[in-house]
Amino acid sequence: MARSTQRPVVTLRSTAGTGVTYVTRKNRQNDPDRMVLRKYDPVVAAHVDFREVR
């Protein structure tokens, strides 16, 4: 089965400016805005906000 455009793959980049990224999927219908998740940044060794990049 093909991947749908309803749940695209998005890249989350650290707001700490370290260049660390996470890759996840999101439901475009439920979350039309850019996603922000608080995840671990190993360079800073702390949890920081990761913002969706396009």
Side-chain angles (χ1 to χ4, degrees):
M1 184 183 294
R3 301 272 183 179
S4 70
T5 58
Q6 186 67 26
R7 295 190 64 86
V9 174
V10 296
T11 303
L12 303 172
R13 182 163 295 139
S14 174
T15 58
T18 58
V20 177
T21 60
Y22 281 94
V23 177
T24 188
R25 302 176 69 80
K26 77 168 189 177
N27 189 327
R28 190 176 283 167
Q29 188 174 15
N30 293 342
D31 301 314
D33 299 330
R34 292 194 183 189
M35 185 185 299
V36 177
L37 294 177
R38 190 161 175 84
K39 298 188 73 67
Y40 185 75
D41 188 339
V43 177
V44 181
H47 284 82
V48 296
D49 286 341
F50 279 73
R51 209 170 281 281
E52 178 183 341
V53 294
R54 294 184 183 166

